[in-house]
């Protein structure tokens, strides 16, 4: 990477020291979730960073000032070196979180991870009953495995979050999912409506909730937040297509967080590779600190100087930083366009109408992803 001065967009407010990194160890996964956020073209195992490469990167993360590392995938438990990676991260002073489907967890592996320094586990759930959850995940007995894994996690003294990805075909179970989170001993529940990138975009018509469903989900969440205050923290993310203002995606493009892909590419978010025409630098090519400060792709949409109207003069520009660039590209064909989730976008009404139509006519058939690489033994 050539040595050059920082671009004009890199003012003191454009970005800061990154707080956390999502370490996507692999794209391999035993589940076939129709809302999968991994790229349509996934990285093969032969391209994944090695144990030594990840350990070097963790040292660079700590030196850069990163506080947290979130081990993700695919399914990070596919990696046989996961315990070693957790131990190294803990050794360099990073707070460690495992984001997992939990279907490959064993009691012995939970104990080994806890001993290595793992602090937190986030388990994804696809429903409140096996009939719904296993159909969504495309994995037989997956729900029962998750319930058992949560018990092992809590017994090991680890903090637990449940991540419930919600859509039209499981929203009716939201009250039971809230109760399940309490019963499992989770400290936090993320009620996150599907975001339509990557593979999820292929299943949008089967996943999009109706406005009535969304209103009911909001009511359920708000009542649960009040009822369970001090018992269960509940985060809530609505589907962008029905929003009035865009969400502050990842705290803003390249401002506070970043991902490292299985092959080492540094991304501002997990979906950024859906934007064609951007080249993302790899930790195999340059030191991480140099990439964070000088990457052309990370600097492309940092701060607000890149914005077009009406975003540039919007009173909320320094709050939402333009919303989601991946969504702008997917729906408007231009990553610099106004996020169609914003009411000021010329596409906003059209996108809302599209969502409403798909919710009513989309059917219930999922297009599952089949990964030919297989899943090695834990």
């Amino acid at each position: 990477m050539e040595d050059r001065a920082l671009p004009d967009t890199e003012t003191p407010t454009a970005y800061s020291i990154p707080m956390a990194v999502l370490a996507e160890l692999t794209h391999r996964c035993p589940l076939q979730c129709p809302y999968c956020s991994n790229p349509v073209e996934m990285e093969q195992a032969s391209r994944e960073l090695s144990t030594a490469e990840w350990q070097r990167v963790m040292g660079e993360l700590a030196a850069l000032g990163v506080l947290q590392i979130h081990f993700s995938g695919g399914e990070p438990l596919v990696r046989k070196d996961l315990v070693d990676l957790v131990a190294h991260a803990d050794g360099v002073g990073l707070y460690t979180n495992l984001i997992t489907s939990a279907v490959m967890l064993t009691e012995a592996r939970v104990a080994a991870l806890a001993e290595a320094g793992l602090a937190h586990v986030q388990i994804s759930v696809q429903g409140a009953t096996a009939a719904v959850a296993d159909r969504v995940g495309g994995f037989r007995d997956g729900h029962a495995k998750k319930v058992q894994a949560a018990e092992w996690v809590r017994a090991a003294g680890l903090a637990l979050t449940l991540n419930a990805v919600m859509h039209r075909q499981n929203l009716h179970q939201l009250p039971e999912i809230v109760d399940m989170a309490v019963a499992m001993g989770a400290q936090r529940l993320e009620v996150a409506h599907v975001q339509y990138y990557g593979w999820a975009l292929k299943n949008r018509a089967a996943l999009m909730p109706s406005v009535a469903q969304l209103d009911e989900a909001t009511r359920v969440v708000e009542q649960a937040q009040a009822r369970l205050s001090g018992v269960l923290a509940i985060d809530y993310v609505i589907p962008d297509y029905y929003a009035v203002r865009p969400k502050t995606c990842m705290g803003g493009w390249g401002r506070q967080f970043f991902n490292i892909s299985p092959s080492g590419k540094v991304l501002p978010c997990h979906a950024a590779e859906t934007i064609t025409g951007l080249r993302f630098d790899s930790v195999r090519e340059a030191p991480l600190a140099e990439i964070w400060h000088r990457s052309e792709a990370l600097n492309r949409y940092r701060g607000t100087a890149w914005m077009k109207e009406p975003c540039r003069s919007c009173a909320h520009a320094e709050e939402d930083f333009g919303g989601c660039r991946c969504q702008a590209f997917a729906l408007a064909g231009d990553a610099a366009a106004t996020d169609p989730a914003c009411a000021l976008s010329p596409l906003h009404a059209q996108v809302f109408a599209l969502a409403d139509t798909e919710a009513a006519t989309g059917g219930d058939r999922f297009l599952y992803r089949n990964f030919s690489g297989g899943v090695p033994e834990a």
Side-chain angles (χ1 to χ4, degrees), residues 113-149:
L113 288 165
E115 178 66 24
L118 185 65
H120 185 278
V121 177
Q122 178 177 311
I123 296 177
S124 64
V125 294
Q126 287 74 39
T129 62
V132 170
D134 292 352
R135 174 179 175 266
V136 174
F139 191 90
R140 182 175 298 176
D141 299 326
H143 184 69
K145 293 177 184 295
K146 293 169 187 287
V147 173
Q148 176 63 80

mmCIF file of all heavy atoms in Angstrom, residues 113-149:
data_model
loop_
_atom_site.group_PDB
_atom_site.id
_atom_site.type_symbol
_atom_site.label_atom_id
_atom_site.label_comp_id
_atom_site.label_asym_id
_atom_site.label_seq_id
_atom_site.Cartn_x
_atom_site.Cartn_y
_atom_site.Cartn_z
ATOM 1 N N LEU A 113 -13.051 -23.344 26.444
ATOM 2 C CA LEU A 113 -13.118 -21.945 26.024
ATOM 3 C C LEU A 113 -13.135 -21.011 27.226
ATOM 4 O O LEU A 113 -12.485 -19.961 27.234
ATOM 5 C CB LEU A 113 -14.354 -21.716 25.159
ATOM 6 C CG LEU A 113 -14.290 -22.315 23.745
ATOM 7 C CD1 LEU A 113 -15.683 -22.352 23.112
ATOM 8 C CD2 LEU A 113 -13.328 -21.522 22.866
ATOM 9 N N ALA A 114 -13.879 -21.397 28.269
ATOM 10 C CA ALA A 114 -13.909 -20.582 29.485
ATOM 11 C C ALA A 114 -12.535 -20.532 30.126
ATOM 12 O O ALA A 114 -12.078 -19.467 30.578
ATOM 13 C CB ALA A 114 -14.942 -21.145 30.461
ATOM 14 N N GLU A 115 -11.857 -21.650 30.145
ATOM 15 C CA GLU A 115 -10.511 -21.707 30.718
ATOM 16 C C GLU A 115 -9.539 -20.853 29.907
ATOM 17 O O GLU A 115 -8.602 -20.254 30.456
ATOM 18 C CB GLU A 115 -10.025 -23.157 30.755
ATOM 19 C CG GLU A 115 -8.622 -23.362 31.289
ATOM 20 C CD GLU A 115 -8.488 -22.999 32.766
ATOM 21 O OE1 GLU A 115 -9.508 -23.030 33.486
ATOM 22 O OE2 GLU A 115 -7.350 -22.697 33.191
ATOM 23 N N ALA A 116 -9.766 -20.776 28.597
ATOM 24 C CA ALA A 116 -8.895 -19.991 27.715
ATOM 25 C C ALA A 116 -9.103 -18.494 27.866
ATOM 26 O O ALA A 116 -8.292 -17.707 27.384
ATOM 27 C CB ALA A 116 -9.112 -20.404 26.268
ATOM 28 N N GLY A 117 -10.199 -18.097 28.524
ATOM 29 C CA GLY A 117 -10.433 -16.669 28.738
ATOM 30 C C GLY A 117 -11.655 -16.102 28.045
ATOM 31 O O GLY A 117 -11.856 -14.880 28.060
ATOM 32 N N LEU A 118 -12.491 -16.957 27.438
ATOM 33 C CA LEU A 118 -13.703 -16.462 26.805
ATOM 34 C C LEU A 118 -14.589 -15.784 27.850
ATOM 35 O O LEU A 118 -14.786 -16.312 28.941
ATOM 36 C CB LEU A 118 -14.469 -17.609 26.138
ATOM 37 C CG LEU A 118 -15.699 -17.213 25.324
ATOM 38 C CD1 LEU A 118 -15.299 -16.380 24.107
ATOM 39 C CD2 LEU A 118 -16.480 -18.452 24.875
ATOM 40 N N ALA A 119 -15.118 -14.607 27.515
ATOM 41 C CA ALA A 119 -15.913 -13.846 28.476
ATOM 42 C C ALA A 119 -17.409 -13.903 28.200
ATOM 43 O O ALA A 119 -18.214 -13.775 29.125
ATOM 44 C CB ALA A 119 -15.461 -12.380 28.477
ATOM 45 N N HIS A 120 -17.787 -14.097 26.940
ATOM 46 C CA HIS A 120 -19.188 -13.922 26.563
ATOM 47 C C HIS A 120 -19.517 -14.831 25.382
ATOM 48 O O HIS A 120 -18.674 -15.067 24.518
ATOM 49 C CB HIS A 120 -19.412 -12.447 26.181
ATOM 50 C CG HIS A 120 -20.824 -12.092 25.881
ATOM 51 N ND1 HIS A 120 -21.398 -12.322 24.651
ATOM 52 C CD2 HIS A 120 -21.791 -11.501 26.633
ATOM 53 C CE1 HIS A 120 -22.650 -11.881 24.655
ATOM 54 N NE2 HIS A 120 -22.918 -11.380 25.849
ATOM 55 N N VAL A 121 -20.755 -15.339 25.370
ATOM 56 C CA VAL A 121 -21.233 -16.156 24.260
ATOM 57 C C VAL A 121 -22.547 -15.571 23.751
ATOM 58 O O VAL A 121 -23.434 -15.241 24.541
ATOM 59 C CB VAL A 121 -21.453 -17.627 24.675
ATOM 60 C CG1 VAL A 121 -22.024 -18.436 23.514
ATOM 61 C CG2 VAL A 121 -20.145 -18.253 25.155
ATOM 62 N N GLN A 122 -22.659 -15.440 22.439
ATOM 63 C CA GLN A 122 -23.903 -15.002 21.803
ATOM 64 C C GLN A 122 -24.422 -16.139 20.945
ATOM 65 O O GLN A 122 -23.765 -16.562 19.983
ATOM 66 C CB GLN A 122 -23.671 -13.763 20.951
ATOM 67 C CG GLN A 122 -24.912 -13.281 20.209
ATOM 68 C CD GLN A 122 -24.657 -12.012 19.424
ATOM 69 O OE1 GLN A 122 -24.098 -11.050 19.949
ATOM 70 N NE2 GLN A 122 -25.049 -12.004 18.153
ATOM 71 N N ILE A 123 -25.583 -16.659 21.302
ATOM 72 C CA ILE A 123 -26.176 -17.786 20.590
ATOM 73 C C ILE A 123 -27.328 -17.292 19.722
ATOM 74 O O ILE A 123 -28.212 -16.585 20.199
ATOM 75 C CB ILE A 123 -26.688 -18.861 21.576
ATOM 76 C CG1 ILE A 123 -25.510 -19.457 22.368
ATOM 77 C CG2 ILE A 123 -27.436 -19.969 20.840
ATOM 78 C CD1 ILE A 123 -25.933 -20.474 23.414
ATOM 79 N N SER A 124 -27.317 -17.679 18.465
ATOM 80 C CA SER A 124 -28.413 -17.320 17.573
ATOM 81 C C SER A 124 -29.562 -18.308 17.762
ATOM 82 O O SER A 124 -29.352 -19.509 17.934
ATOM 83 C CB SER A 124 -27.956 -17.349 16.116
ATOM 84 O OG SER A 124 -27.598 -18.666 15.734
ATOM 85 N N VAL A 125 -30.791 -17.783 17.745
ATOM 86 C CA VAL A 125 -31.974 -18.640 17.810
ATOM 87 C C VAL A 125 -32.896 -18.270 16.660
ATOM 88 O O VAL A 125 -33.014 -17.099 16.287
ATOM 89 C CB VAL A 125 -32.707 -18.527 19.165
ATOM 90 C CG1 VAL A 125 -31.838 -19.067 20.283
ATOM 91 C CG2 VAL A 125 -33.120 -17.090 19.463
ATOM 92 N N GLN A 126 -33.546 -19.287 16.100
ATOM 93 C CA GLN A 126 -34.392 -19.077 14.929
ATOM 94 C C GLN A 126 -35.883 -19.201 15.244
ATOM 95 O O GLN A 126 -36.719 -19.067 14.361
ATOM 96 C CB GLN A 126 -34.017 -20.080 13.831
ATOM 97 C CG GLN A 126 -32.707 -19.786 13.137
ATOM 98 C CD GLN A 126 -31.485 -20.106 13.999
ATOM 99 O OE1 GLN A 126 -31.460 -21.101 14.710
ATOM 100 N NE2 GLN A 126 -30.483 -19.243 13.928
ATOM 101 N N GLY A 127 -36.219 -19.470 16.494
ATOM 102 C CA GLY A 127 -37.605 -19.599 16.903
ATOM 103 C C GLY A 127 -37.676 -20.056 18.343
ATOM 104 O O GLY A 127 -36.648 -20.275 18.991
ATOM 105 N N ALA A 128 -38.902 -20.231 18.849
ATOM 106 C CA ALA A 128 -39.096 -20.659 20.235
ATOM 107 C C ALA A 128 -39.396 -22.135 20.341
ATOM 108 O O ALA A 128 -39.376 -22.699 21.440
ATOM 109 C CB ALA A 128 -40.231 -19.863 20.869
ATOM 110 N N THR A 129 -39.673 -22.791 19.220
ATOM 111 C CA THR A 129 -39.954 -24.222 19.207
ATOM 112 C C THR A 129 -39.093 -24.894 18.150
ATOM 113 O O THR A 129 -38.667 -24.254 17.170
ATOM 114 C CB THR A 129 -41.432 -24.495 18.894
ATOM 115 O OG1 THR A 129 -41.728 -23.992 17.571
ATOM 116 C CG2 THR A 129 -42.344 -23.830 19.924
ATOM 117 N N ALA A 130 -38.884 -26.179 18.318
ATOM 118 C CA ALA A 130 -38.055 -26.919 17.366
ATOM 119 C C ALA A 130 -38.669 -26.908 15.970
ATOM 120 O O ALA A 130 -37.946 -26.818 14.965
ATOM 121 C CB ALA A 130 -37.856 -28.347 17.856
ATOM 122 N N ALA A 131 -39.992 -26.991 15.884
ATOM 123 C CA ALA A 131 -40.637 -27.055 14.576
ATOM 124 C C ALA A 131 -40.314 -25.831 13.734
ATOM 125 O O ALA A 131 -40.004 -25.938 12.537
ATOM 126 C CB ALA A 131 -42.148 -27.200 14.758
ATOM 127 N N VAL A 132 -40.363 -24.657 14.345
ATOM 128 C CA VAL A 132 -40.077 -23.417 13.619
ATOM 129 C C VAL A 132 -38.572 -23.218 13.468
ATOM 130 O O VAL A 132 -38.067 -22.961 12.365
ATOM 131 C CB VAL A 132 -40.705 -22.205 14.333
ATOM 132 C CG1 VAL A 132 -40.211 -20.894 13.720
ATOM 133 C CG2 VAL A 132 -42.223 -22.283 14.264
ATOM 134 N N ALA A 133 -37.839 -23.344 14.571
ATOM 135 C CA ALA A 133 -36.411 -23.026 14.553
ATOM 136 C C ALA A 133 -35.619 -23.951 13.635
ATOM 137 O O ALA A 133 -34.742 -23.499 12.882
ATOM 138 C CB ALA A 133 -35.854 -23.093 15.972
ATOM 139 N N ASP A 134 -35.899 -25.240 13.690
ATOM 140 C CA ASP A 134 -35.134 -26.177 12.867
ATOM 141 C C ASP A 134 -35.463 -26.032 11.384
ATOM 142 O O ASP A 134 -34.605 -26.235 10.524
ATOM 143 C CB ASP A 134 -35.396 -27.612 13.328
ATOM 144 C CG ASP A 134 -34.829 -27.896 14.710
ATOM 145 O OD1 ASP A 134 -34.097 -27.033 15.242
ATOM 146 O OD2 ASP A 134 -35.135 -28.968 15.278
ATOM 147 N N ARG A 135 -36.695 -25.646 11.072
ATOM 148 C CA ARG A 135 -37.035 -25.400 9.676
ATOM 149 C C ARG A 135 -36.295 -24.178 9.160
ATOM 150 O O ARG A 135 -35.736 -24.190 8.050
ATOM 151 C CB ARG A 135 -38.538 -25.192 9.517
ATOM 152 C CG ARG A 135 -38.924 -24.781 8.098
ATOM 153 C CD ARG A 135 -40.415 -24.595 7.914
ATOM 154 N NE ARG A 135 -40.685 -24.082 6.575
ATOM 155 C CZ ARG A 135 -40.823 -22.795 6.273
ATOM 156 N NH1 ARG A 135 -40.762 -21.873 7.229
ATOM 157 N NH2 ARG A 135 -41.045 -22.409 5.030
ATOM 158 N N VAL A 136 -36.248 -23.104 9.946
ATOM 159 C CA VAL A 136 -35.562 -21.893 9.506
ATOM 160 C C VAL A 136 -34.062 -22.152 9.346
ATOM 161 O O VAL A 136 -33.460 -21.780 8.336
ATOM 162 C CB VAL A 136 -35.803 -20.734 10.483
ATOM 163 C CG1 VAL A 136 -34.955 -19.521 10.096
ATOM 164 C CG2 VAL A 136 -37.274 -20.351 10.523
ATOM 165 N N GLY A 137 -33.471 -22.807 10.343
ATOM 166 C CA GLY A 137 -32.038 -23.059 10.298
ATOM 167 C C GLY A 137 -31.627 -24.170 9.370
ATOM 168 O O GLY A 137 -30.438 -24.302 9.044
ATOM 169 N N GLY A 138 -32.578 -24.999 8.953
ATOM 170 C CA GLY A 138 -32.242 -26.105 8.073
ATOM 171 C C GLY A 138 -31.354 -27.139 8.728
ATOM 172 O O GLY A 138 -30.533 -27.776 8.069
ATOM 173 N N PHE A 139 -31.529 -27.314 10.062
ATOM 174 C CA PHE A 139 -30.651 -28.221 10.817
ATOM 175 C C PHE A 139 -31.495 -29.001 11.817
ATOM 176 O O PHE A 139 -32.093 -28.422 12.716
ATOM 177 C CB PHE A 139 -29.571 -27.417 11.553
ATOM 178 C CG PHE A 139 -28.479 -28.260 12.143
ATOM 179 C CD1 PHE A 139 -27.351 -28.562 11.402
ATOM 180 C CD2 PHE A 139 -28.581 -28.743 13.445
ATOM 181 C CE1 PHE A 139 -26.332 -29.337 11.953
ATOM 182 C CE2 PHE A 139 -27.566 -29.504 13.995
ATOM 183 C CZ PHE A 139 -26.438 -29.805 13.244
ATOM 184 N N ARG A 140 -31.547 -30.316 11.650
ATOM 185 C CA ARG A 140 -32.362 -31.156 12.521
ATOM 186 C C ARG A 140 -31.820 -31.155 13.951
ATOM 187 O O ARG A 140 -30.613 -31.269 14.166
ATOM 188 C CB ARG A 140 -32.413 -32.585 11.980
ATOM 189 C CG ARG A 140 -33.285 -33.536 12.783
ATOM 190 C CD ARG A 140 -33.379 -34.893 12.111
ATOM 191 N NE ARG A 140 -34.015 -34.781 10.791
ATOM 192 C CZ ARG A 140 -34.159 -35.817 9.947
ATOM 193 N NH1 ARG A 140 -33.681 -37.008 10.276
ATOM 194 N NH2 ARG A 140 -34.757 -35.640 8.786
ATOM 195 N N ASP A 141 -32.722 -31.020 14.909
ATOM 196 C CA ASP A 141 -32.394 -31.009 16.347
ATOM 197 C C ASP A 141 -31.534 -29.802 16.751
ATOM 198 O O ASP A 141 -30.971 -29.794 17.845
ATOM 199 C CB ASP A 141 -31.686 -32.308 16.773
ATOM 200 C CG ASP A 141 -32.557 -33.535 16.554
ATOM 201 O OD1 ASP A 141 -33.783 -33.416 16.712
ATOM 202 O OD2 ASP A 141 -32.009 -34.604 16.232
ATOM 203 N N GLY A 142 -31.460 -28.809 15.892
ATOM 204 C CA GLY A 142 -30.646 -27.646 16.217
ATOM 205 C C GLY A 142 -31.156 -26.881 17.424
ATOM 206 O O GLY A 142 -30.367 -26.432 18.258
ATOM 207 N N HIS A 143 -32.474 -26.742 17.539
ATOM 208 C CA HIS A 143 -33.041 -25.979 18.648
ATOM 209 C C HIS A 143 -32.706 -26.632 19.988
ATOM 210 O O HIS A 143 -32.311 -25.942 20.941
ATOM 211 C CB HIS A 143 -34.555 -25.863 18.477
ATOM 212 C CG HIS A 143 -35.216 -25.022 19.519
ATOM 213 N ND1 HIS A 143 -35.038 -23.661 19.591
ATOM 214 C CD2 HIS A 143 -36.050 -25.350 20.552
ATOM 215 C CE1 HIS A 143 -35.733 -23.173 20.610
ATOM 216 N NE2 HIS A 143 -36.349 -24.179 21.209
ATOM 217 N N ALA A 144 -32.851 -27.930 20.072
ATOM 218 C CA ALA A 144 -32.536 -28.630 21.318
ATOM 219 C C ALA A 144 -31.067 -28.471 21.689
ATOM 220 O O ALA A 144 -30.721 -28.321 22.869
ATOM 221 C CB ALA A 144 -32.889 -30.112 21.179
ATOM 222 N N LYS A 145 -30.194 -28.485 20.687
ATOM 223 C CA LYS A 145 -28.766 -28.302 20.944
ATOM 224 C C LYS A 145 -28.477 -26.909 21.493
ATOM 225 O O LYS A 145 -27.617 -26.727 22.364
ATOM 226 C CB LYS A 145 -27.963 -28.549 19.666
ATOM 227 C CG LYS A 145 -27.976 -29.998 19.176
ATOM 228 C CD LYS A 145 -27.220 -30.141 17.870
ATOM 229 C CE LYS A 145 -27.298 -31.561 17.322
ATOM 230 N NZ LYS A 145 -26.622 -32.552 18.188
ATOM 231 N N LYS A 146 -29.187 -25.911 20.995
ATOM 232 C CA LYS A 146 -28.992 -24.540 21.470
ATOM 233 C C LYS A 146 -29.426 -24.396 22.928
ATOM 234 O O LYS A 146 -28.731 -23.741 23.733
ATOM 235 C CB LYS A 146 -29.789 -23.565 20.596
ATOM 236 C CG LYS A 146 -29.297 -23.444 19.163
ATOM 237 C CD LYS A 146 -30.300 -22.663 18.317
ATOM 238 C CE LYS A 146 -29.913 -22.667 16.850
ATOM 239 N NZ LYS A 146 -28.750 -21.804 16.574
ATOM 240 N N VAL A 147 -30.559 -24.997 23.274
ATOM 241 C CA VAL A 147 -31.042 -24.932 24.656
ATOM 242 C C VAL A 147 -30.039 -25.586 25.601
ATOM 243 O O VAL A 147 -29.715 -25.049 26.668
ATOM 244 C CB VAL A 147 -32.429 -25.597 24.767
ATOM 245 C CG1 VAL A 147 -32.855 -25.691 26.226
ATOM 246 C CG2 VAL A 147 -33.466 -24.813 23.958
ATOM 247 N N GLN A 148 -29.512 -26.738 25.204
ATOM 248 C CA GLN A 148 -28.525 -27.413 26.036
ATOM 249 C C GLN A 148 -27.235 -26.603 26.134
ATOM 250 O O GLN A 148 -26.642 -26.480 27.211
ATOM 251 C CB GLN A 148 -28.223 -28.790 25.456
ATOM 252 C CG GLN A 148 -27.139 -29.577 26.184
ATOM 253 C CD GLN A 148 -27.497 -29.906 27.614
ATOM 254 O OE1 GLN A 148 -28.231 -30.847 27.859
ATOM 255 N NE2 GLN A 148 -26.995 -29.137 28.573
ATOM 256 N N ALA A 149 -26.803 -26.029 25.013
ATOM 257 C CA ALA A 149 -25.564 -25.248 25.012
ATOM 258 C C ALA A 149 -25.676 -24.042 25.934
ATOM 259 O O ALA A 149 -24.722 -23.695 26.642
ATOM 260 C CB ALA A 149 -25.228 -24.805 23.593
#
